[in-house]
């Protein structure tokens, strides 16, 4: 894998064809817009649709109630206490999905590293280590969800939305043409969001009166901080190598 | 006018020698950034032609049991040709980017065809449709700029203008106003038959693409815009397929389609600048010559006629599929206010009441194309670069 994008004949910019650009601008002057208004027409339309969904309380999906009796009792108790167990379940589901996809993202990234002509064994080792930890975190979350009597195989709404966000990252990592720095940048996005999310999840678990779950997340949180630092360093080194 | 001479008489690759591996079909795609936009135009055009080849032969097979084994054989090759071509589009094209490329195809190819078409009514029909696809490009460009925050000209590369055409809100017609008069198979030039088959293929593909990806958008404005323009593309398929003589037998249409494919690949090979893609067009030109020979033999066997009866006339070389802006602007200035009434083109004031009623109802709860493009002026670098 090459480390940086080469100089070349990128054809997307207007300056690549100044004569054409001149003619295109001339056309916009001769044939102006036929519909009055601006981008706010789109905003107004979006508001209309959002309100239509809100009016019938329709969201992207729901959190199923916990299946086991023990779980029902527990979450029922929390509800009486003014807690919002579905929020915690939704966010636990999101973290589980994120870590699970993370294992696959590292697999795609590892293929990139292995394909490089100067494949560095210590880097590969480090990435495999992170990947194993992502899988461990996934299993810890599975256990936490089961403790609450809920189903860890459910795709909760937040899990689904975070999966939608990850689509672009998957495209970047699996494209055979992307380089190391581009892939590290994609992983940085993942790890940055992961870090903030673990921090928030611990706070949520505490607030929802699940101190055991909260404290069990402290070690993963520390590990994730290390993942972030590692990816950041790798990216910095990669870019410095390209500049040197 | 420069013509291809003796093109259809060339020897091609025999059908049983037309083989593929998966690796050849899912090969390295083009670069969205570095390859020329016209390479992508040709890829989209040829994929549309190959998928129409499959469609036509599937329909034919439903009416002709005796032809089924032959059609199955040739279709398998066409399936793999279509794959090898369509998989050249890289995965980093967003659906809206591919859409903008599809509209560029519609504009540049239809403009090239309209200028070469010898039959005045057929040429008028291409100009009529051209102004509508030209408008779709403007509406989708506004949507792309305002949804993804990107410049549609990154895809168009300066070859095509981004301005309103005949407004999309005015395209919606009563079905009877989308049918056209056809060429007469006994007197029409081969290039007229080829043009109708080619543009029908292209529009069918565009329709199917919008129907498949329109619902993958989360944004309600984009979803509505695709719903609206997909409906117009269905009208365009109705229009263009009615340009063909409905009294042609299935085998006549098959022959025309194969001749069209030979012509299209020869044109692509001639215009292509990317050597790897040019080699593919040349390989598939040889394959199509093989298909034409295969179809001709069956035509002689089953219809007991000479294929030359169907394929009469010179083949003018295809015009460049870029920078047809002078022709488009002239058409826009003269014909933007034309409307269809039955098979005739009429001034706006004489439009069919049935079409007006149909349109007024469709548009009565808002017009997606208007919402997406209100006040949009294309500017290099997106409208956010525009000086206040």
């Amino acid at each position: 894998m090459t480390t940086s994008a080469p100089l070349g004949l990128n054809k997307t910019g207007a300056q690549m064809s100044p004569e054409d650009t001149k003619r295109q601008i001339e056309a916009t002057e001769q044939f102006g817009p036929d519909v009055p208004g601006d981008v706010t027409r789109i905003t107004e339309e979006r508001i209309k649709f959002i309100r239509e969904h809100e009016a019938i309380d329709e969201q992207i999906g729901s959190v199923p109630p916990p299946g086991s009796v023990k779980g029902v009792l527990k979450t029922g108790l929390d509800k009486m206490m003014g807690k919002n167990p579905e929020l915690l379940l939704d966010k636990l589901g999101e973290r589980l999905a994120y870590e699970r996809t993370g294992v696959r993202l590292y697999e795609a990234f590892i293929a990139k590293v292995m394909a490089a002509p100067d494949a560095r064994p210590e880097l590969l080792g480090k990435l495999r280590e992170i990947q194993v930890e992502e899988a461990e975190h996934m299993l810890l979350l599975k256990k936490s969800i089961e403790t609450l009597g809920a189903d860890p195989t459910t795709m909760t709404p937040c899990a689904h939305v975070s999966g939608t966000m990850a689509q672009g990252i998957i495209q970047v990592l699996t494209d055979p043409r992307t380089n190391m720095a581009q892939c590290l940048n994609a992983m940085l996005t993942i790890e940055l969001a992961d870090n903030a999310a673990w921090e928030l999840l611990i706070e949520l678990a505490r607030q929802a009166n699940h101190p055991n779950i909260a404290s069990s997340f402290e070690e993963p949180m520390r590990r994730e901080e290390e993942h972030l630092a590692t990816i950041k360093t790798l990216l910095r080194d990669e870019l410095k190598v390209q500049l040197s | 006018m420069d013509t291809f001479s003796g093109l259809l008489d060339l020897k091609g690759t025999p059908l049983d020698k037309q083989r593929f591996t998966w690796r050849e079909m899912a090969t390295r795609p083009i670069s969205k950034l570095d390859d020329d936009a016209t390479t992508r135009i040709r890829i989209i055009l040829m994929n549309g032609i190959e998928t129409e080849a499959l469609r036509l032969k599937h329909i034919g097979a439903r009416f002709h049991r005796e032809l089924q084994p032959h059609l199955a054989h040739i279709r398998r090759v066409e399936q793999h040709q279509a794959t090898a071509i369509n998989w050249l589009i890289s995965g980093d094209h967003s659906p809206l980017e591919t859409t903008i490329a599809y509209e560029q195809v519609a504009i540049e190819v239809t403009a090239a065809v309209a200028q070469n078409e010898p039959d005045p009514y057929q040429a008028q029909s291409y100009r009529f449709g051209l102004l509508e696809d030209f408008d779709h490009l403007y509406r989708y460009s506004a949507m792309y700029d305002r949804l993804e925050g990107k410049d549609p000209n990154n895809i168009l590369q300066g070859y095509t203008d981004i301005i309103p055409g005949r407004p999309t809100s005015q395209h919606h017609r009563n079905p009877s106003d989308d049918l056209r008069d056809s060429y007469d198979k006994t007197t029409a030039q081969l290039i007229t038959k080829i043009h109708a088959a080619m543009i029908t293929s292209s529009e069918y593909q565009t329709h199917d693409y919008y129907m498949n990806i329109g619902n993958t958008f989360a944004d309600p404005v984009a979803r509505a815009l695709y719903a609206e323009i997909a409906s117009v593309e269905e009208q365009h398929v109705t229009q263009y397929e009615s340009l063909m003589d409905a009294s042609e037998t299935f085998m006549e249409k098959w022959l025309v389609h194969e001749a069209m494919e030979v012509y299209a690949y020869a044109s692509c090979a001639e215009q292509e600048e990317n050597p790897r893609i040019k080699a593919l067009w040349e390989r598939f030109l040889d394959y199509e010559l093989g298909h034409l020979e295969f179809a001709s033999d069956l035509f002689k066997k089953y219809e007991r006629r000479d294929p030359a009866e169907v394929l009469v006339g010179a083949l003018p070389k295809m015009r460049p599929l870029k920078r047809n802006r002078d022709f488009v602007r002239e058409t826009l200035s003269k014909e933007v206010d034309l409307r269809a009434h039955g098979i005739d083109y009429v001034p706006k004031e004489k439009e069919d009441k049935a079409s007006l009623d149909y349109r007024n109802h469709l548009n009565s709860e808002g017009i997606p194309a208007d919402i997406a493009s209100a006040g949009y002026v294309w500017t290099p670098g997106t409208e956010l670069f525009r000086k206040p």
Side-chain angles (χ1 to χ4, degrees), chain B residues 81-122:
Chain B
Q81 283 178 280
T83 311
I85 294 166
N86 204 25
W87 265 232
L88 290 171
I89 300 290
S90 52
D92 52 0
H93 287 77
S94 74
L96 253 169
E97 286 171 336
T98 305
T99 296
I100 286 167
Y102 269 47
E103 294 299 345
Q104 186 174 35
V105 172
I107 294 159
E108 299 298 338
V109 176
T110 312
V113 160
Q115 292 171 87
N116 263 5
E117 174 53 49
D119 179 318
Y121 178 83
Q122 300 258 329

Side-chain angles (χ1 to χ4, degrees), chain B residues 35-243:
Chain B
D35 266 293
D36 198 85
T38 57
T39 296
R40 182 172 42 224
I41 288 176
R42 285 182 282 272
I43 290 168
I44 294 169
L45 171 67
M46 293 318 303
N47 183 59
I49 288 172
E50 288 296 352
T51 48
E52 171 75 4
L54 287 171
R55 190 179 299 119
L56 175 67
K57 291 181 184 75
H58 271 299
I59 295 167
R62 292 173 208 176
F63 293 95
H64 301 279
R65 181 168 291 281
E66 72 286 6
L67 293 176
Q68 285 179 359
H70 309 295
L71 291 169
H73 196 167
I74 198 167
R75 272 201 314 263
R76 190 59 49 85
V77 175
E78 279 160 339
Q79 163 67 23
H80 293 160
Q81 283 178 280
T83 311
I85 294 166
N86 204 25
W87 265 232
L88 290 171
I89 300 290
S90 52
D92 52 0
H93 287 77
S94 74
L96 253 169
E97 286 171 336
T98 305
T99 296
I100 286 167
Y102 269 47
E103 294 299 345
Q104 186 174 35
V105 172
I107 294 159
E108 299 298 338
V109 176
T110 312
V113 160
Q115 292 171 87
N116 263 5
E117 174 53 49
D119 179 318
Y121 178 83
Q122 300 258 329
Q124 170 73 82
S125 299
Y126 294 124
R127 295 198 302 275
F128 187 78
L130 168 66
L131 292 188
E132 300 193 337
D133 286 322
F134 189 62
D135 192 74
H136 297 166
L137 175 67
Y138 170 73
R139 310 296 161 185
Y140 278 133
S141 293
M143 189 77 246
Y144 177 62
D145 188 334
R146 292 169 171 182
L147 179 65
E148 296 191 24
K150 298 182 202 160
D151 181 353
N153 197 46
N154 290 163
I155 298 297
L156 303 170
Q157 298 178 4
Y159 293 138
T160 313
D161 293 338
I162 310 163
I163 50 174
R166 178 178 304 117
T168 294
S169 60
Q170 306 298 302
H171 298 178
H172 317 302
R173 289 174 288 272
N174 193 48
S176 56
D177 291 329
D178 285 319
L179 291 166
R180 302 286 165 258
D181 199 3
S182 75
Y183 59 70
D184 177 340
K185 69 173 185 176
T186 60
T187 55
Q189 293 289 303
L190 176 56
I191 192 67
T192 296
K193 297 177 182 179
I194 281 179
H195 284 159
M198 183 186 293
I199 301 295
T200 303
S201 303
S202 186
E203 294 289 319
Y204 214 124
Q205 164 179 246
T206 304
H207 168 264
D208 285 4
Y209 182 69
Y210 297 166
M211 290 301 286
N212 281 314
I213 59 126
N215 66 0
T216 65
F217 287 83
D219 181 18
V221 181
R223 291 173 74 88
L225 181 64
Y226 275 88
E228 183 179 15
I229 297 184
S231 173
V232 180
E233 299 302 345
E234 157 57 23
Q235 294 178 243
H236 284 183
V237 179
T238 300
Q239 159 166 308
Y240 290 124
E241 80 182 355
S242 66
L243 291 175

Side-chain angles (χ1 to χ4, degrees), chain A residues 9-12 14 17 20-21 23-28 30-39 41-42 45-46 49 171 175 177, chain B residues 30 33-34 36 90-92 138-139 147 153-154 157-158 160-161 163-164 167 219-220 323 325-326 329 332 370-371 374-376 378:
Chain A
L9 283 180
N10 180 316
K11 294 196 167 73
T12 58
S17 45
D20 285 321
T21 308
R23 304 274 338 254
Q24 285 178 300
I25 292 171
E26 169 198 291
T28 63
Q30 283 173 17
F31 301 88
D34 58 337
V35 180
D38 56 28
V39 70
R41 288 284 301 277
I42 294 182
E45 194 69 6
R46 285 176 181 156
F49 274 88
Q171 287 286 91
D175 192 324
R177 306 167 303 168
Chain B
I30 59 162
L33 311 182
D34 289 7
D36 198 85
S90 52
D92 52 0
Y138 170 73
R139 310 296 161 185
L147 179 65
N153 197 46
N154 290 163
Q157 298 178 4
T160 313
D161 293 338
I163 50 174
D219 181 18
R323 296 194 182 100
R325 55 167 54 93
D326 287 334
R329 280 192 217 173
L332 187 59
D370 286 5
I371 292 165
Y376 185 69
W378 173 77

